[in-house]
Amino acid sequence: MEDPAVKVARLLENSSYAIVFTGAGVSADSGIPTFRGPDGLWRRYRPEELASPWGFERNPRLVWEWYAWRMRIIASARPNAAHYAIAALERRGLVRAVITQNVDGLHQRAGSKNVIELHGNIWRARCTRCGYRWILESPPSDDELPLRCPRCGSLARPDVVWFGEPLPEAALRRAFEEAGKADLVIVVGTSGVVEPAGSIPVHAKERGARLVNVNPEPNRYTGMADVNVEERAAPFFERLARVLGLELPRE
Ligand code: OAD
Ligand code: ZN
């Protein structure tokens, strides 16, 4: 049987506008937990308490502590071969944009430039009163929590999207524009169940794009994908990089 990496390399070389759409699974091989798997965050934590406006109102300190804990995991993690290969594909001109549901910033750390973040970024805080946004250089320590706005002193929150909240408008519009232009979408490591993000690859597919689905488990896209790559992202992208002669940083 032909290695799916060879098949996907060919699809990339024959595409004129390929994009990548990612979820928590692309960072799983970096040691960052996903949300819905057997070890997923939503198995151990309640999303309505930790990732909703209601939960934040009730206990801002608890919510901040949970995000600071996740920031520590992300700070000690490194991008994996999938992030690096996706960045190398963009430099090579074979990928035009990366649309991600992740808040970890690992695509940017790996060198991707055109990254559209649909659910915000865990390294940014935002004032609940004046809207001022700023970057956190390192995870805040628990005794600084909850963070306060440096401008007006009001309560600040993580600049991420919570359940029941709309997505950042500009990012969502750009993502659907990219999906409308794409003739190839490589979906990596997402269950696809969270809307509206999950519909972006479907939108592209409906407009005639080919769909590649990199995921060790069946998901929303399995039935509509042109190629299902049923394995973990890092080993797959390592082979894809080899097939295409892309340089990845050594571990
Ligand atoms: P999920 O946890 O729902 O899905 C992760 C997907 O990654 C699953 O389909 C796994 O099979 C797959 N996976 C696991 N390990 C993998 C690996 N090594 N390589 C490739 N795939 C792997 O995470 P998301 O789809 O990102 O939203 O979830 C979407 C949104 O739900 C998140 O952005 C977050 C969450 O609630 C908000 O916080 C708004
Ligand atoms: Zn403020």
Side-chain angles (χ1 to χ4, degrees):
M1 204 183 76
E2 189 181 39
D3 183 348
V6 174
K7 212 182 270 181
V8 174
R10 203 180 303 125
L11 283 173
L12 275 163
E13 286 177 327
N14 292 331
S15 71
S16 53
Y17 204 101
I19 62 172
V20 175
F21 178 80
T22 68
V26 77
S27 296
D29 293 326
S30 294
I32 298 171
T34 63
F35 294 95
R36 294 177 182 76
D39 304 317
L41 293 171
W42 296 153
R43 292 282 168 103
R44 284 189 288 154
Y45 301 100
R46 291 157 56 86
E48 60 276 26
E49 264 175 38
L50 298 171
S52 78
W54 170 84
F56 186 71
E57 214 165 285
R58 211 171 67 139
N59 195 340
R61 195 185 155 83
L62 177 73
V63 170
W64 264 116
E65 282 172 358
W66 190 66
Y67 277 89
W69 168 72
R70 288 177 59 200
M71 277 186 242
R72 290 194 293 274
I73 297 176
I74 293 163
S76 59
R78 282 174 305 162
N80 65 58
H83 301 103
Y84 284 124
I86 291 164
L89 285 168
E90 183 183 2
R91 282 194 296 275
R92 179 72 73 85
L94 288 172
V95 158
R96 305 301 186 102
V98 180
I99 302 167
T100 189
Q101 300 164 85
N102 299 345
V103 297
D104 58 30
L106 287 183
H107 285 299
Q108 294 90 331
R109 271 171 67 188
S112 286
K113 298 285 180 232
N114 191 18
V115 181
I116 301 173
E117 291 180 321
L118 294 172
H119 291 162
N121 190 300
I122 200 167
W123 296 105
R124 261 191 335 253
R126 179 172 101 223
C127 178
T128 57
R129 184 157 159 273
C130 74
Y132 178 68
R133 287 182 164 85
W134 73 102
I135 307 252
L136 306 173
E137 302 290 346
S138 55
S141 59
D142 281 357
D143 48 280
E144 296 173 83
L145 301 178
L147 294 186
R148 304 237 144 222
C149 174
R151 286 268 172 95
C152 78
S154 300
L155 183 63
R157 56 167 282 176
D159 194 19
V160 299
V161 174
W162 284 331
F163 287 97
E165 293 185 319
L167 273 57
E169 215 173 290
L172 189 63
R173 184 175 358 95
R174 277 176 61 211
F176 272 99
E177 275 166 20
E178 294 287 359
K181 284 192 267 183
D183 61 355
L184 175 65
V185 184
I186 303 183
V187 178
V188 190
T190 179
S191 57
V193 298
V194 172
E195 294 291 12
S199 290
I200 290 166
V202 179
H203 179 77
K205 179 72 193 168
E206 284 167 355
R207 289 164 168 251
R210 300 285 189 91
L211 208 69
V212 172
N213 183 33
V214 182
N215 199 311
E217 304 293 333
N219 64 358
R220 174 179 185 174
Y221 311 106
T222 306
M224 66 181 94
D226 297 273
V227 180
N228 280 295
V229 180
E230 288 167 27
E231 62 177 304
R232 294 190 295 118
F236 169 73
F237 275 96
E238 209 168 307
R239 290 205 315 287
L240 180 68
R242 205 171 311 138
V243 171
L244 290 167
L246 303 169
E247 286 276 349
L248 302 188
R250 280 174 209 271
E251 282 305 297

